């Protein structure tokens, strides 16, 4: 076991895709497979279940991930303490955000952080923004960029970055959905809705349904706002999504915005982190840079 192997394991346990981990961590697939086999031999347990289509963590793999996270964190703290210069911050920052946030809000913040702390390694994990809070709670990410939930867990803190408007979106081209929109009034109760599986986006759309007294026609429940935008662009239905998702979507020309009969509260977009970890040097430095950006 070595730190490099620990990093490989943590990347693989997050993305659950051997080819992606090999590519992004700059090792060959065979080297990655051998490294994981050695870990399993040393641990005395099977850490992954895999077949030709998928990779999942075993219960032992979940336990080992916690160990690996703690080991890497302790190693980074030790390197920082032992650095004789103590003038340059070193370590690793695990950031979780949606693909859209990686385009829209993260670049400016990371540029500032890297200019101040060029020796810190940035590990970016992208996925459904609705999972950001859980990723931070489970220590799978140090910082998560997310919409603030209606109820923020007591263990987390939240620093606001921006207000993000929500809009109703529909396809622009001829399809069954468009035919319904061409009626003399919009039949909200008959339109097929594509809704998020969970998270603040689901809370917003459920509240919207309640305000209109709708027994909504739900076509699909989908993970990720980017996937929702794609389904609307394919003519599958309508939805409510952050405007910034549409502005950064490659299918925005196939999407139109509809006027809402009731107001939709915007998201508060920000960075969440564990209160118990905010004194860790790398996390503290990132949060400090975020506060400076807000003031500027």
């Amino acid at each position: 076991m070595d730190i490099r192997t620990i990093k490989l394991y943590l990347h693989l346990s997050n993305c659950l895709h051997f080819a992606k981990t090999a590519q992004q961590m700059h090792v060959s697939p065979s080297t990655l497979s051998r490294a994981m086999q050695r870990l399993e031999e040393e641990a005395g347990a099977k850490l992954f279940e895999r077949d030709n289509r998928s990779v999942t963590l075993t219960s032992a793999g979940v336990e080992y991930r916690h160990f690996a996270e703690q080991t890497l964190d302790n190693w980074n703290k030790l390197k920082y303490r032992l650095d004789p210069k103590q003038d340059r911050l070193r370590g690793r920052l695990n950031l979780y955000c949606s693909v859209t946030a990686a385009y829209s809000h993260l670049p400016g913040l990371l540029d500032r952080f890297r200019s101040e702390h060029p020796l810190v390694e940035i590990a970016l994990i992208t996925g459904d923004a609705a999972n950001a809070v859980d990723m931070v709670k489970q220590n799978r990410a140090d910082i998560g960029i997310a919409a603030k939930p209606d109820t923020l867990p007591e263990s987390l803190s939240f620093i606001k970055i921006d207000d993000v408007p929500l809009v109703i979106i529909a396809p622009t081209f001829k399809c069954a959905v468009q035919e319904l929109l061409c009626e003399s009034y919009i039949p909200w109760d008959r339109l097929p809705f594509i809704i998020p599986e969970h998270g603040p986006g689901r809370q917003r759309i459920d509240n919207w349904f309640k305000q209109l007294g709708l027994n909504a026609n739900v076509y699909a429940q989908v993970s990720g706002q980017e996937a929702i935008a794609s389904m609307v662009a394919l003519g599958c239905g309508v939805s409510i999504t952050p405007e910034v998702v549409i502005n950064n979507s490659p299918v925005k020309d196939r999407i139109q915005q509809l006027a809402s009969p009731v107001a939709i509260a915007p998201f508060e977009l920000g960075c969440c982190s564990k209160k118990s970890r905010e004194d860790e040097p790398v996390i503290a430095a990132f949060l400090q840079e975020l506060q400076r950006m807000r003031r500027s």
Side-chain angles (χ1 to χ4, degrees), residues 68-114:
E69 289 168 342
Q70 292 172 356
T71 299
L72 185 59
D73 181 54
N74 289 335
W75 171 246
N76 288 330
K77 288 178 180 177
L78 177 63
K79 286 198 300 180
Y80 181 74
R81 290 196 300 270
L82 295 181
D83 180 12
K85 294 181 180 179
Q86 289 292 317
D87 59 348
R88 303 299 290 274
L89 183 64
R90 289 174 169 82
R92 176 187 175 97
L93 183 69
N94 297 300
L95 274 170
Y96 182 89
C97 70
S98 68
V99 171
T100 295
Y103 292 140
S104 62
H105 290 83
L106 193 56
L109 179 54
L110 277 191
D111 288 347
R112 292 175 61 114
F113 182 76
R114 284 193 176 110

Side-chain angles (χ1 to χ4, degrees), residues 29-92:
S30 59
T31 297
L32 177 61
S33 292
R34 286 196 299 270
M36 295 305 100
Q37 288 170 2
R38 285 196 300 271
L39 275 189
E40 289 180 327
E41 290 170 3
E42 292 170 355
K46 193 172 185 180
L47 304 178
F48 295 99
E49 291 286 357
R50 47 180 162 163
D51 54 33
N52 292 332
R53 292 179 296 176
S54 64
V55 178
T56 57
L57 284 177
T58 63
S59 58
V62 172
E63 288 293 322
Y64 196 90
R65 183 173 64 195
H66 295 321
F67 163 78
E69 289 168 342
Q70 292 172 356
T71 299
L72 185 59
D73 181 54
N74 289 335
W75 171 246
N76 288 330
K77 288 178 180 177
L78 177 63
K79 286 198 300 180
Y80 181 74
R81 290 196 300 270
L82 295 181
D83 180 12
K85 294 181 180 179
Q86 289 292 317
D87 59 348
R88 303 299 290 274
L89 183 64
R90 289 174 169 82
R92 176 187 175 97

Side-chain angles (χ1 to χ4, degrees), residues 1-26:
M1 186 193 309
D2 57 37
I3 295 301
R4 176 62 173 168
T5 304
I6 287 290
K7 290 180 178 180
L8 289 174
Y9 176 78
L10 285 174
H11 191 287
L12 181 57
S13 68
N14 282 323
C15 80
L16 296 176
H17 196 290
F18 272 78
K20 286 182 180 178
T21 292
Q23 180 184 26
Q24 294 176 18
M25 297 296 286
H26 309 293

Side-chain angles (χ1 to χ4, degrees), residues 3-295:
I3 295 301
R4 176 62 173 168
T5 304
I6 287 290
K7 290 180 178 180
L8 289 174
Y9 176 78
L10 285 174
H11 191 287
L12 181 57
S13 68
N14 282 323
C15 80
L16 296 176
H17 196 290
F18 272 78
K20 286 182 180 178
T21 292
Q23 180 184 26
Q24 294 176 18
M25 297 296 286
H26 309 293
V27 298
S28 68
S30 59
T31 297
L32 177 61
S33 292
R34 286 196 299 270
M36 295 305 100
Q37 288 170 2
R38 285 196 300 271
L39 275 189
E40 289 180 327
E41 290 170 3
E42 292 170 355
K46 193 172 185 180
L47 304 178
F48 295 99
E49 291 286 357
R50 47 180 162 163
D51 54 33
N52 292 332
R53 292 179 296 176
S54 64
V55 178
T56 57
L57 284 177
T58 63
S59 58
V62 172
E63 288 293 322
Y64 196 90
R65 183 173 64 195
H66 295 321
F67 163 78
E69 289 168 342
Q70 292 172 356
T71 299
L72 185 59
D73 181 54
N74 289 335
W75 171 246
N76 288 330
K77 288 178 180 177
L78 177 63
K79 286 198 300 180
Y80 181 74
R81 290 196 300 270
L82 295 181
D83 180 12
K85 294 181 180 179
Q86 289 292 317
D87 59 348
R88 303 299 290 274
L89 183 64
R90 289 174 169 82
R92 176 187 175 97
L93 183 69
N94 297 300
L95 274 170
Y96 182 89
C97 70
S98 68
V99 171
T100 295
Y103 292 140
S104 62
H105 290 83
L106 193 56
L109 179 54
L110 277 191
D111 288 347
R112 292 175 61 114
F113 182 76
R114 284 193 176 110
S115 69
E116 292 294 325
H117 307 289
L119 301 182
V120 173
E121 177 186 357
I122 305 294
L124 181 62
I125 309 164
T126 57
D128 185 355
N131 295 329
V133 168
D134 285 339
M135 291 288 286
V136 173
K137 284 174 61 180
Q138 297 166 12
N139 288 325
R140 296 177 65 185
D142 305 320
I143 302 287
I145 298 181
K148 187 177 182 180
D150 291 344
T151 303
L152 186 71
E154 284 290 327
S155 61
L156 302 184
S157 62
F158 184 90
I159 300 176
K160 181 179 174 181
I161 299 174
D162 197 8
D163 284 316
V164 177
L166 299 176
V167 293
I168 304 174
I169 58 172
T172 58
F173 51 91
K174 186 176 180 180
C175 58
V177 175
Q178 185 66 284
E179 290 177 5
L180 289 171
L181 295 176
C182 289
E183 295 187 8
S184 57
Y185 67 94
I186 297 179
W188 297 109
D189 58 331
R190 288 189 285 139
L191 285 173
F193 276 88
I194 302 162
I195 66 175
E197 290 181 336
H198 63 287
R202 177 60 178 268
Q203 294 166 352
R204 287 290 193 280
I205 201 165
D206 284 346
N207 289 338
W208 190 83
F209 290 152
K210 289 178 182 177
Q211 285 181 277
L212 295 184
L214 281 185
N215 182 16
N217 172 23
V218 176
Y219 173 83
Q221 299 183 48
V222 179
S223 174
Q225 296 289 348
E226 294 81 8
I228 289 174
S230 295
M231 290 188 70
V232 171
L234 290 171
C236 298
V238 300
S239 190
I240 296 176
T241 198
E243 189 174 35
V244 67
V245 172
I246 306 307
N247 292 341
N248 288 277
S249 174
V251 295
K252 62 184 178 182
D253 292 340
R254 295 173 60 87
I255 292 173
Q256 63 175 313
Q257 296 184 19
L258 305 178
S260 176
V262 294
I264 307 172
F267 281 154
E268 283 187 52
L269 185 72
C271 289
C272 60
S273 58
K274 264 192 172 180
K275 293 177 181 177
S276 61
R277 300 187 60 199
E278 288 180 352
D279 61 344
E280 295 179 17
V282 173
I283 295 176
F286 184 88
L287 296 177
Q288 184 179 46
E289 199 59 44
L290 176 59
Q291 294 284 19
R292 286 176 183 162
M293 187 183 74
R294 293 184 68 216
R295 290 193 295 266

